[in-house]
Amino acid sequence: MSQASKLLGLEIELRVPDEIRKLGPVVYIANHQNTYDLFTVSRAVLPRTVSVGKKSLKWIPFFGQMYWLTGNILIDRNNKNKAMGTIAATAEKIKQKGLSVWLFPEGTRSNGKGLLPYKTGAFRTAMQAEVPIVPICISNLHGKVKLNRWNNGKIIIEFLPPIAVPQGGREQIREITDQTYQIMSEKINQISEESGSPYPEYKPKS
């Protein structure tokens, strides 16, 4: 799947520090931009990593079946009780099988709206599994891909140092979530400028 980025005319520059490759199980979090993420972020998935996706993915012909059979986790986002159970089940899977999990804390594709506010699920998962968060920052992809153009520029994917998630209540989790959002926002803006395509600015609804 990752080789499809070449068909999209994109050059992928992957920046993974050696310390990240040597880590054990973690919760990876990344910004989620559009459907092209499937062909770009897959270049950054490290060994023994699964993702958590919405249940409807299983109905995509071929891909859905492969996604489920390769150990990825499907959740029902419309059922909050099931979603809470999925956090506990995902944390247990990390502990028992020594897997890392990839999550998108925005919860949905931003589609050019900037970096959306983060939900706390990924951080609660890391807390329950007692593993760190590893931020993954992806430069701007919105509006870059023109399917009739061979060269659509460069995408930078950069891993940041791990962030410990302390045991705590709702306020502590919200605090570490907001701090991580700020760190990632600054890095995403930096690498987007570097790649020649500024990241859209998020504008909250008034």
Side-chain angles (χ1 to χ4, degrees), residues 16-206:
V16 189
D18 288 340
E19 66 170 311
I20 299 297
R21 295 186 184 277
K22 296 174 183 177
L23 287 175
V26 302
V27 172
Y28 295 110
I29 59 170
N31 50 310
H32 194 11
Q33 300 184 64
N34 54 38
T35 52
Y36 292 124
D37 285 343
L38 180 65
F39 307 107
T40 55
V41 301
S42 54
R43 287 282 295 274
V45 177
L46 299 180
R48 296 190 60 75
T49 301
V50 298
S51 65
V52 177
K54 56 186 179 180
K55 198 173 182 179
S56 58
L57 286 174
K58 72 178 181 181
W59 302 114
I60 299 176
F62 182 71
F63 170 79
Q65 289 73 42
M66 288 298 297
Y67 186 87
W68 179 70
L69 289 171
T70 49
N72 295 293
I73 303 165
L74 296 171
I75 62 170
D76 183 356
R77 288 183 180 165
N78 295 320
N79 189 318
K80 289 187 177 180
N81 291 330
K82 285 187 177 179
M84 291 297 292
T86 300
I87 288 175
T90 302
E92 193 61 28
K93 194 168 188 176
I94 293 171
K95 286 182 174 181
Q96 290 186 353
K97 298 190 176 182
L99 295 173
S100 293
V101 173
W102 181 301
L103 294 163
F104 294 111
E106 292 167 280
T108 188
R109 295 183 291 267
S110 58
N111 288 319
K113 298 176 184 176
L115 188 64
L116 304 179
Y118 283 179
K119 303 179 186 302
T120 60
F123 298 84
R124 285 185 278 125
T125 299
M127 182 186 71
Q128 290 190 30
E130 300 179 325
V131 299
I133 288 278
V134 172
I136 303 170
C137 299
I138 304 157
S139 65
N140 183 45
L141 182 57
H142 180 70
K144 291 196 73 163
V145 177
K146 306 294 183 185
L147 296 179
N148 61 346
R149 187 170 62 189
W150 285 107
N151 183 1
N152 285 310
K154 180 167 73 172
I155 296 295
I156 300 171
I157 303 176
E158 184 168 342
F159 286 62
L160 302 186
I163 297 172
V165 180
Q167 296 293 319
R170 182 178 299 178
E171 291 184 4
Q172 289 82 2
I173 290 295
R174 184 72 259 174
E175 183 178 354
I176 194 70
T177 299
D178 292 343
Q179 289 173 356
T180 304
Y181 177 94
Q182 187 61 38
I183 291 169
M184 291 183 67
S185 179
E186 291 174 3
K187 174 58 69 171
I188 289 167
N189 286 332
Q190 176 192 323
I191 61 177
S192 294
E193 292 284 353
E194 184 181 344
S195 68
S197 181
Y199 209 77
E201 180 183 356
Y202 172 66
K203 296 179 179 179
K205 293 182 180 179
S206 57

